[in-house]
Amino acid sequence: MSGKENEPSEDAIRDELRTVAAPDGDENVVAAGLVSSVTVTDGTVTVDPTLSGMEPATADTLADRMRTAVLECGGVEEVRVETDVAEPDHGTVVPGVDRIVAVASAKGGVGKTTVATQLARGLAASGERVGLFDADVYGPNTPELLDIEGPLGSTDDGRAEPVEVDSLQVVSVGLIANDEPMAWRGAMAHEAVEGLLTDAAWDVDTLVLDLPPGTGDIVLTTLQSFPVDGAVFVTTPFPTAAGDTERSTALFREEGVPVLGAVVNMAGFTCPTCGDDHAPFGSDPDLSADVLAELPIDKSLRSTEGEVPAAFRDLGDDVREALADRTTVTVPETALDLRGVPDRARIEQVRAEFGALAPGESLHLVTDTRPGDVSGALEDLASAPPRVAVEQKGSSVWALQISKTASDPAEDVTC
Ligand SMILES: Nc1ncnc2c1ncn2[C@@H]1O[C@H](COP(=O)(O)OP(=O)(O)OP(=O)(O)O)[C@@H](O)[C@H]1O
């Protein structure tokens, strides 16, 4: 295969890689045996490093440094450093739980616990086995809402036994001992929450996790420690509440937790005296998340006795659907790895590869910055807008699948 005129030799690439220090000791990555092969084909440099067994964060940093060093060589058009893109590592799997849905809010008092509890009941109403874990150490209100009391019992093998109520399995930090949770702080609170969550004898399809409000330590460490499949945000329509919610949802996404949607609570009421509709907190909040439900101020929505209100059965269906719709983008070995590549070179590489696709084919790539308007940047290269699927795989890793859509044969028919 003929090489490009100015492309560097494999030896020149190895020389450049000698400027990258190995993580341990004084050696460079080549001398330390961390580069297993280098190939150069038509301006594309492929480096196969030996990074297995390394901490993922160290391996990622090293791969980035290798990419940056290779790009320093003249004549390099594209670099592939063949590293695996790990699936988001959200740590501990909770025994007896198939999936976890977190209910979160940017601020307290917006109805998060009400929604979490009623969502759990809504999911259970269609036959799912559902657990409810109240992790709100600063205001564990679930016991009061469901009219249950602690302390929790324990199973024969010494695990915390969830309280069965209304076909839900419920564990709350408020059920372990009087007022103690209110006194927990920082690491102690997180350890207690983590211990109780993993120790409980769950047997459920879905666990609804009522998080404390905000994005403090407990929330972040919980998202990082447990495999949360999706989050539902509760907000009022008040503009500042919606703004706070936007910032919180961004943080969840950065942690690789899909935001399934928002519940806009206390969205207004119909006056029983005059019959007029009022919206004291405003309406149509500016949210990027899908609005799964808009709930009025209505005391019947607080009741956990009798039938589950229709609004929460619908919410359960919507959450199930949103979980099923989550985008998953695979990262094949041939994916274009753009991490560490300068912005202009990225766009050129993606345009070149996308331009070479036949209709119906896809380009897979990995980046370390949140993708912008990919479709707009490529629209002049195809007869129809490309289909772009994005999945965040980690705190700064995004996988994309960009497909060139097959043109509609009817469009090509002329007389
Ligand atoms: N749609 C609604 N209509 C009427 N009352 C509601 C509605 N949603 C919540 N409430 C009431 O508002 C109060 C606060 O709700 P809730 O405890 O669920 O909020 P929270 O966000 O979990 O608060 P905290 O941050 O204190 O845990 C409760 O008294 C609850 O019954």
Side-chain angles (χ1 to χ4, degrees):
M1 194 178 288
S2 65
K4 287 215 167 165
E5 211 176 304
N6 294 327
E7 75 181 15
S9 66
E10 290 170 12
D11 284 345
I13 299 292
R14 282 182 185 276
D15 281 347
E16 205 60 61
L17 286 170
R18 286 191 177 89
T19 63
V20 179
D24 301 318
D26 301 328
E27 286 178 318
N28 64 65
V29 288
V30 178
L34 296 178
V35 176
S36 103
S37 73
V38 172
T39 52
V40 184
T41 310
D42 288 337
T44 298
V45 176
T46 306
V47 178
D48 186 6
T50 317
L51 305 176
S52 55
M54 237 178 238
E55 281 285 309
T58 313
D60 272 356
T61 309
L62 203 58
D64 276 351
R65 292 200 181 127
M66 290 189 194
R67 242 177 249 118
T68 310
V70 173
L71 283 165
E72 292 291 311
C73 271
V76 174
E77 289 181 8
E78 188 183 322
V79 185
R80 292 170 188 242
V81 179
E82 312 254 316
T83 53
D84 291 337
V85 174
E87 288 300 314
D89 177 11
H90 291 304
T92 320
V93 173
V94 183
V97 172
D98 284 351
R99 60 183 183 187
I100 300 178
V101 173
V103 178
S105 67
K107 288 273 158 60
V110 296
K112 173 181 53 58
T113 298
T114 305
V115 170
T117 306
Q118 298 287 39
L119 168 62
R121 295 179 76 226
L123 289 167
S126 49
E128 265 185 59
R129 289 169 309 148
V130 181
L132 176 62
F133 182 77
D134 172 8
D136 191 348
V137 288
Y138 306 115
N141 296 331
T142 311
E144 196 188 324
L145 200 60
L146 289 170
D147 196 19
I148 50 178
E149 281 180 4
L152 291 170
S154 63
T155 59
D156 290 345
D157 57 353
R159 298 171 68 193
E161 190 165 37
V163 176
E164 297 262 351
V165 56
D166 206 10
S167 74
L168 301 178
Q169 298 173 29
V170 184
V171 171
S172 165
V173 292
L175 290 175
I176 46 179
N178 305 334
D179 291 335
E180 262 183 40
M182 308 301 277
W184 290 343
R185 289 288 178 270
M188 187 184 165
H190 175 252
E191 271 168 32
V193 167
E194 182 166 343
L196 190 56
L197 179 48
T198 46
D199 180 52
W202 303 108
D203 179 19
V204 295
D205 302 310
T206 305
L207 181 71
V208 176
L209 186 60
D210 182 11
L211 290 172
T215 48
D217 281 354
I218 298 181
V219 172
L220 282 185
T221 45
T222 302
L223 297 182
Q224 285 155 6
S225 309
F226 294 101
V228 174
D229 294 276
V232 173
F233 269 82
V234 183
T235 179
T236 66
F238 201 61
T240 52
D244 291 340
T245 303
E246 279 303 281
R247 280 185 287 282
S248 300
T249 51
L251 203 123
F252 272 53
R253 290 188 179 112
E254 271 167 34
E255 291 298 332
V257 176
V259 174
L260 304 174
V263 171
V264 179
N265 193 25
M266 308 189 194
F269 66 96
T270 305
C271 173
T273 313
C274 68
D276 286 350
D277 292 333
H278 300 275
F281 298 123
S283 55
D284 293 333
D286 198 5
L287 296 166
S288 59
D290 289 342
V291 174
L292 299 173
E294 281 198 35
L295 305 174
I297 300 172
D298 177 351
K299 61 178 190 288
S300 71
L301 296 177
R302 312 188 316 200
S303 168
T304 57
E305 280 168 19
E307 288 262 296
V308 181
F312 292 115
R313 283 203 304 274
D314 292 347
L315 179 62
D317 291 342
D318 289 346
V319 164
R320 234 189 316 267
E321 217 168 278
L323 281 166
D325 282 355
R326 280 169 310 155
T327 320
T328 49
V329 179
T330 55
V331 185
E333 273 184 12
T334 51
L336 181 60
D337 193 342
L338 297 173
R339 289 172 293 174
V341 176
D343 281 354
R344 255 194 73 190
R346 275 173 202 234
I347 294 165
E348 279 167 14
Q349 284 185 27
V350 175
R351 283 180 61 82
E353 297 235 358
F354 180 76
L357 293 180
E361 285 183 338
S362 294
L363 164 65
H364 289 262
L365 56 92
V366 182
T367 85
D368 52 5
T369 53
R370 186 178 293 282
D373 179 12
V374 180
S375 193
L378 301 174
E379 65 186 358
D380 59 313
L381 298 175
S383 56
R387 237 189 2 256
V388 183
V390 181
E391 186 189 3
Q392 187 160 10
K393 296 280 189 187
S395 56
S396 51
V397 184
W398 285 264
L400 279 79
Q401 179 175 358
I402 307 173
S403 307
K404 192 175 261 186
T405 46
S407 53
D408 181 350
E411 277 180 14
D412 299 332
V413 177
T414 56
C415 61

